[in-house]
Amino acid sequence: MLSAGERSQPHATIVDTVSKARIMPNIAANGTNGVTSSTSKPAQMQHIWVVTGPAGCGKSTVGNVLRTELGIPFLEGDDFHPAANKDKMGKGIPLTDEDRWDWLISLRQAAINALSPSEANNFHPPAGVVVACSALKQKYRDVMRVAAYGSSLVQIHFVYLKLTEDVLLQRVSQRQSHYMKSSMVQSQLAVLEEPKGEWDAITINVEGTMEDVHRNVIDAVTEKLAEYK
Ligand SMILES: Nc1ncnc2c1ncn2[C@@H]1O[C@H](COP(=O)(O)OP(=O)(O)OP(=O)(O)O)[C@@H](O)[C@H]1O
Ligand SMILES: O=C(O)[C@H](O)[C@@H](O)[C@H](O)[C@H](O)CO
């Protein structure tokens, strides 16, 4: 049984061909590799907040709230789907594992890039990054976990937005001009593996009003961050 903060060994169900050297970010806040000199500030922790759940559960909505609250970048997972995936979902055809691997790997790399010193962040890496990514299955979350592999200064968290099929259908039905229609809800729930027992996951019931949900998410993230003080 892992205690909080202890890093589980991600399940090696996916063997990425990407070498560690290519994906490990140079993430220390002071631009070092986490080693601090007497003159530089201690390197800060960086947190990857992956907001997960089936289509329509509120990932984009909550992701934007966390972006603002934490003052860190936000990556919209939908933007990383190739057109073929969007076309497939738009036609009411569920994606397969094969459709998702490259999408997950590109989203993971974008999260790593967002944490690294760059001109985009004036070479002052952010305290983290928010990623909206359904990550329906545990092995998909394992692909994302590789982003924090081997670095004591990067911690990944999954914020799972939990709601009933009825509420999910209601939200997707009411949403305007989105390729994901309510006919896809059941197929999303059919493959969904809730992150039970995954120590780096926070489950939040999101059936309340936007105001209540946003408060609950912010409270949960603030409480989790306090563990790293
Ligand atoms: N707490 C809430 N109460 C009522 N409606 C909500 C709530 N949260 C989100 N919504 C609405 O539900 C719909 C789906 O939200 P959102 O697009 O954020 O979900 P998503 O998980 O990102 O979906 P997808 O994965 O398909 O992109 C939107 O119309 C949004 O305005
Ligand atoms: O894995 C998937 O099937 C997709 O990522 C959906 O879960 C997303 O919500 C999609 O982006 C629809 O908007």
Side-chain angles (χ1 to χ4, degrees):
M1 179 68 184
L2 293 166
S3 56
E6 202 178 329
R7 175 163 298 150
S8 67
Q9 288 308 316
H11 307 271
T13 49
I14 314 298
V15 179
D16 279 351
T17 54
V18 183
S19 72
K20 263 192 187 174
R22 282 175 50 201
I23 62 171
M24 288 311 296
N26 164 20
I27 44 88
N30 56 10
T32 68
N33 60 357
V35 176
T36 57
S37 67
S38 56
T39 54
S40 65
K41 287 191 301 178
Q44 66 172 5
M45 277 295 288
Q46 291 182 298
H47 298 266
I48 302 172
W49 303 96
V50 186
V51 185
T52 73
C57 68
K59 297 184 294 294
S60 304
T61 308
V62 165
N64 274 297
V65 168
L66 283 178
R67 175 223 320 249
T68 305
E69 184 69 18
L70 300 176
I72 57 179
F74 168 61
L75 300 175
E76 171 54 74
D78 289 359
D79 296 343
F80 292 80
H81 273 301
N85 280 4
K86 292 185 178 181
D87 292 346
K88 198 169 179 180
M89 291 185 277
K91 288 173 183 156
I93 305 169
L95 299 183
T96 63
D97 289 350
E98 288 67 32
D99 294 328
R100 295 184 174 117
W101 294 142
D102 288 346
W103 165 63
L104 290 164
I105 290 169
S106 63
L107 192 48
R108 176 182 72 199
Q109 191 56 52
I112 290 169
N113 294 346
L115 294 181
S116 302
S118 70
E119 206 167 330
N121 52 43
N122 294 321
F123 299 98
H124 291 291
V129 60
V130 184
V131 183
C133 172
S134 46
L136 296 171
K137 296 183 182 178
Q138 178 168 338
K139 59 185 175 182
Y140 300 160
R141 295 187 286 274
D142 289 343
V143 172
M144 296 306 286
R145 285 185 175 104
V146 173
Y149 250 19
S151 168
S152 58
L153 290 171
V154 179
Q155 180 59 53
I156 196 165
H157 311 272
F158 296 91
V159 182
Y160 167 54
L161 308 184
K162 182 182 178 67
L163 70 179
T164 58
E165 180 175 349
D166 289 348
V167 174
L168 189 55
L169 276 167
Q170 184 187 10
R171 300 246 170 108
V172 176
S173 307
Q174 287 169 352
R175 184 170 56 175
Q176 304 299 319
S177 64
H178 192 288
Y179 58 81
M180 205 71 166
K181 304 302 180 214
S182 53
S183 60
M184 290 286 276
V185 164
Q186 285 206 326
S187 65
Q188 292 276 296
L189 295 175
V191 298
L192 175 63
E193 297 169 3
E194 294 190 321
K196 290 176 179 149
E198 295 171 38
W199 69 270
D200 52 4
I202 306 167
T203 296
I204 296 178
N205 183 305
V206 294
E207 299 206 338
T209 64
M210 278 207 189
E211 188 183 7
D212 289 346
V213 167
H214 298 170
R215 176 46 49 208
N216 292 342
V217 169
I218 290 168
D219 288 351
V221 166
T222 304
E223 189 179 333
K224 179 54 69 178
L225 278 173
E227 293 177 18
Y228 292 83
K229 293 293 181 215

